[in-house]
């Protein structure tokens, strides 16, 4: 079954902005950070939707992600 879904962002700032919004609205959210093991410049925050599905919001300067 579905355990994780990711959405791409146009900027690193929008990842930070979403994090701030989610934190303010009491979502379970993990602070954004870089994940060089995925790709150079990969930056993401993870949070849970109301059904417990992990949502990932990423910025990556590499266009094939």
């Amino acid at each position: 079954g579905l355990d994780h879904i990711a959405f791409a962002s146009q900027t690193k700032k929008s990842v930070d902005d979403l994090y701030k919004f989610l934190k303010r609205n009491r979502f379970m959210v993990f602070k954004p950070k870089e994940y060089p093991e995925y790709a150079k410049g990969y930056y993401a925050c993870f949070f849970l939707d109301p059904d417990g599905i992990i949502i990932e919001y990423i910025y990556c300067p590499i266009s094939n992600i």
Side-chain angles (χ1 to χ4, degrees):
L2 179 68
D3 71 344
H4 165 205
I5 189 166
F7 295 93
S9 164
Q10 294 293 317
T11 66
K12 196 173 181 179
K13 181 184 180 310
S14 65
V15 174
D16 292 333
D17 290 345
L18 179 64
Y19 168 76
K20 290 173 191 171
F21 172 83
L22 293 169
K23 188 93 168 148
R24 232 183 1 256
N25 288 283
R26 300 178 184 225
F27 279 76
M28 177 181 260
V29 61
F30 298 91
K31 189 172 182 177
K33 69 176 195 169
E34 292 198 15
Y35 293 87
E37 64 272 24
Y38 298 154
K40 185 176 181 178
Y42 196 103
Y43 184 76
C45 90
F46 294 83
F47 61 98
L48 296 178
D49 80 355
D51 293 321
I53 304 218
I54 299 167
I55 309 291
E56 177 182 6
Y57 193 51
I58 72 154
Y59 167 73
C60 189
I62 299 172
S63 62
N64 64 352
I65 300 255

